[in-house]
Structure formats: C-alpha cells, structure tokens
Amino acid sequence: MFADTEREHRAQADPVAPATRSDAALEKVATKTLDDGTPAHSFRTLLNELSTIVRNTCRRRHHEAEEPTFELDTKPNAKQRAALDRINDIRL
C-alpha cells in the first residue's frame, strides 16, 4: 500500500503537526510501485485483490439430495498472502 514505512520518519514526527510524507513514501506515490517493483495498492484495489479468494461449496454431479457437500478454498497468491499475514499481525 502507499503507507509510509520509514519508522524513523514516523518516530520523529510531531503528533500535533500536519502529517508529512517521507521521501520514500513520496517516491512510492509518484511511481505507484513498491521497492520490489510490483504495483502499489490503494485500500480499494487491495480489497478488490483480496475479494478473488473464495470458498466454493461442491458436490458430485447427479447427486442424491442427502449426499454431503465439501468446500474448496482458492489459494491466495503471493501478494494476497502478504496482505493476509499483515492483517493477522494486527494486535487489538
């Protein structure tokens, strides 16, 4: 995402002053890419990317009415896995 990742910049910031972006964050916004060259996501585009992870309820074709079903989840790609790992790291 476009968040400022420089901890030193955030640590030295005055909590009541208007927020300013670091040089790295400004470059990320200008190029719309991350340090590894992949496209940076906004919150909306990240949600769109994550929305492709789905759970499918499956059963055999020509099934009996009481036959059980099973579920298959799509596997997240590398970008989705990284986002989900960061979400799981959030402490409430």
Side-chain angles (χ1 to χ4, degrees), residues 4-6 8 10 14 21-22 27 40 53-54 67 73 80 83:
D4 196 347
T5 56
E6 289 189 16
E8 294 170 10
R10 289 188 290 175
D14 181 357
R21 291 184 173 171
S22 67
E27 183 177 342
I53 301 172
V54 296
E67 185 172 314
D73 296 341
Q80 292 167 330

mmCIF file of all heavy atoms in Angstrom, residues 4-6 8 10 14 21-22 27 40 53-54 67 73 80 83:
data_model
loop_
_atom_site.group_PDB
_atom_site.id
_atom_site.type_symbol
_atom_site.label_atom_id
_atom_site.label_comp_id
_atom_site.label_asym_id
_atom_site.label_seq_id
_atom_site.Cartn_x
_atom_site.Cartn_y
_atom_site.Cartn_z
ATOM 1 N N ASP A 4 3.487 4.999 4.687
ATOM 2 C CA ASP A 4 4.872 5.377 4.935
ATOM 3 C C ASP A 4 5.494 4.312 5.825
ATOM 4 O O ASP A 4 5.049 4.081 6.942
ATOM 5 C CB ASP A 4 4.920 6.748 5.610
ATOM 6 C CG ASP A 4 6.288 7.374 5.552
ATOM 7 O OD1 ASP A 4 7.257 6.655 5.219
ATOM 8 O OD2 ASP A 4 6.390 8.573 5.821
ATOM 9 N N THR A 5 6.546 3.657 5.341
ATOM 10 C CA THR A 5 7.146 2.556 6.089
ATOM 11 C C THR A 5 8.409 2.957 6.838
ATOM 12 O O THR A 5 8.995 2.139 7.526
ATOM 13 C CB THR A 5 7.485 1.394 5.141
ATOM 14 O OG1 THR A 5 8.335 1.876 4.097
ATOM 15 C CG2 THR A 5 6.228 0.788 4.553
ATOM 16 N N GLU A 6 8.852 4.181 6.722
ATOM 17 C CA GLU A 6 10.058 4.619 7.415
ATOM 18 C C GLU A 6 9.741 4.912 8.868
ATOM 19 O O GLU A 6 9.090 5.901 9.198
ATOM 20 C CB GLU A 6 10.660 5.848 6.731
ATOM 21 C CG GLU A 6 11.292 5.533 5.400
ATOM 22 C CD GLU A 6 12.061 6.715 4.848
ATOM 23 O OE1 GLU A 6 12.357 7.662 5.598
ATOM 24 O OE2 GLU A 6 12.365 6.682 3.655
ATOM 25 N N GLU A 8 11.757 5.799 11.321
ATOM 26 C CA GLU A 8 12.426 6.988 11.856
ATOM 27 C C GLU A 8 11.612 8.246 11.559
ATOM 28 O O GLU A 8 11.477 9.119 12.407
ATOM 29 C CB GLU A 8 13.824 7.121 11.254
ATOM 30 C CG GLU A 8 14.761 6.012 11.657
ATOM 31 C CD GLU A 8 16.053 6.037 10.862
ATOM 32 O OE1 GLU A 8 16.288 7.024 10.131
ATOM 33 O OE2 GLU A 8 16.817 5.081 10.983
ATOM 34 N N ARG A 10 8.394 8.439 11.149
ATOM 35 C CA ARG A 10 7.202 8.453 11.997
ATOM 36 C C ARG A 10 7.553 8.753 13.447
ATOM 37 O O ARG A 10 6.804 9.424 14.145
ATOM 38 C CB ARG A 10 6.470 7.117 11.899
ATOM 39 C CG ARG A 10 5.787 6.921 10.565
ATOM 40 C CD ARG A 10 4.934 5.707 10.565
ATOM 41 N NE ARG A 10 5.796 4.523 10.608
ATOM 42 C CZ ARG A 10 5.362 3.289 10.710
ATOM 43 N NH1 ARG A 10 4.081 3.050 10.804
ATOM 44 N NH2 ARG A 10 6.196 2.275 10.735
ATOM 45 N N ASP A 14 6.016 15.261 14.835
ATOM 46 C CA ASP A 14 5.280 15.948 15.891
ATOM 47 C C ASP A 14 3.824 15.463 15.832
ATOM 48 O O ASP A 14 3.180 15.550 14.787
ATOM 49 C CB ASP A 14 5.356 17.457 15.657
ATOM 50 C CG ASP A 14 4.636 18.268 16.729
ATOM 51 O OD1 ASP A 14 4.024 17.661 17.632
ATOM 52 O OD2 ASP A 14 4.704 19.500 16.656
ATOM 53 N N ARG A 21 4.949 13.342 4.402
ATOM 54 C CA ARG A 21 5.435 12.051 3.915
ATOM 55 C C ARG A 21 6.951 12.088 3.767
ATOM 56 O O ARG A 21 7.535 13.109 3.436
ATOM 57 C CB ARG A 21 4.807 11.721 2.565
ATOM 58 C CG ARG A 21 3.336 11.427 2.672
ATOM 59 C CD ARG A 21 2.788 11.021 1.330
ATOM 60 N NE ARG A 21 1.408 10.591 1.477
ATOM 61 C CZ ARG A 21 0.611 10.334 0.457
ATOM 62 N NH1 ARG A 21 1.043 10.468 -0.773
ATOM 63 N NH2 ARG A 21 -0.618 9.945 0.661
ATOM 64 N N SER A 22 7.559 10.919 3.981
ATOM 65 C CA SER A 22 9.000 10.799 3.786
ATOM 66 C C SER A 22 9.302 10.787 2.293
ATOM 67 O O SER A 22 8.399 10.643 1.454
ATOM 68 C CB SER A 22 9.502 9.506 4.427
ATOM 69 O OG SER A 22 8.981 8.390 3.725
ATOM 70 N N GLU A 27 8.146 8.952 -3.270
ATOM 71 C CA GLU A 27 8.563 8.222 -4.466
ATOM 72 C C GLU A 27 7.584 7.088 -4.772
ATOM 73 O O GLU A 27 7.243 6.837 -5.921
ATOM 74 C CB GLU A 27 9.965 7.659 -4.280
ATOM 75 C CG GLU A 27 10.473 6.950 -5.517
ATOM 76 C CD GLU A 27 11.892 6.445 -5.352
ATOM 77 O OE1 GLU A 27 12.599 6.907 -4.456
ATOM 78 O OE2 GLU A 27 12.266 5.573 -6.146
ATOM 79 N N ALA A 40 1.854 -0.771 -6.348
ATOM 80 C CA ALA A 40 1.339 -0.463 -5.011
ATOM 81 C C ALA A 40 -0.186 -0.449 -5.069
ATOM 82 O O ALA A 40 -0.776 -0.049 -6.061
ATOM 83 C CB ALA A 40 1.863 0.884 -4.542
ATOM 84 N N ILE A 53 -10.330 -14.286 -3.457
ATOM 85 C CA ILE A 53 -10.217 -15.501 -2.644
ATOM 86 C C ILE A 53 -11.638 -15.927 -2.282
ATOM 87 O O ILE A 53 -12.377 -15.164 -1.660
ATOM 88 C CB ILE A 53 -9.397 -15.250 -1.367
ATOM 89 C CG1 ILE A 53 -7.999 -14.761 -1.718
ATOM 90 C CG2 ILE A 53 -9.338 -16.514 -0.517
ATOM 91 C CD1 ILE A 53 -7.198 -14.299 -0.514
ATOM 92 N N VAL A 54 -12.019 -17.121 -2.675
ATOM 93 C CA VAL A 54 -13.397 -17.558 -2.463
ATOM 94 C C VAL A 54 -13.440 -18.970 -1.896
ATOM 95 O O VAL A 54 -12.480 -19.730 -1.987
ATOM 96 C CB VAL A 54 -14.226 -17.513 -3.770
ATOM 97 C CG1 VAL A 54 -14.361 -16.102 -4.287
ATOM 98 C CG2 VAL A 54 -13.629 -18.406 -4.821
ATOM 99 N N GLU A 67 -26.814 -36.292 -0.005
ATOM 100 C CA GLU A 67 -25.370 -36.500 -0.139
ATOM 101 C C GLU A 67 -24.610 -35.282 0.403
ATOM 102 O O GLU A 67 -24.984 -34.143 0.155
ATOM 103 C CB GLU A 67 -25.011 -36.714 -1.608
ATOM 104 C CG GLU A 67 -23.555 -37.058 -1.825
ATOM 105 C CD GLU A 67 -23.300 -37.448 -3.267
ATOM 106 O OE1 GLU A 67 -24.068 -38.241 -3.821
ATOM 107 O OE2 GLU A 67 -22.318 -36.937 -3.816
ATOM 108 N N ASP A 73 -11.340 -23.937 -0.905
ATOM 109 C CA ASP A 73 -10.954 -22.523 -0.890
ATOM 110 C C ASP A 73 -9.886 -22.302 -1.954
ATOM 111 O O ASP A 73 -8.987 -23.135 -2.117
ATOM 112 C CB ASP A 73 -10.380 -22.125 0.469
ATOM 113 C CG ASP A 73 -11.388 -22.245 1.588
ATOM 114 O OD1 ASP A 73 -12.595 -22.279 1.297
ATOM 115 O OD2 ASP A 73 -10.966 -22.298 2.755
ATOM 116 N N GLN A 80 -1.568 -11.535 -2.045
ATOM 117 C CA GLN A 80 -2.679 -11.750 -1.121
ATOM 118 C C GLN A 80 -2.182 -12.359 0.187
ATOM 119 O O GLN A 80 -2.619 -11.969 1.264
ATOM 120 C CB GLN A 80 -3.728 -12.654 -1.760
ATOM 121 C CG GLN A 80 -4.447 -12.023 -2.923
ATOM 122 C CD GLN A 80 -5.247 -13.037 -3.716
ATOM 123 O OE1 GLN A 80 -4.895 -14.214 -3.788
ATOM 124 N NE2 GLN A 80 -6.330 -12.572 -4.343
ATOM 125 N N ALA A 83 -0.595 -9.696 2.338
ATOM 126 C CA ALA A 83 -1.616 -8.830 2.938
ATOM 127 C C ALA A 83 -2.318 -9.551 4.088
ATOM 128 O O ALA A 83 -2.538 -8.957 5.157
ATOM 129 C CB ALA A 83 -2.632 -8.397 1.885
#
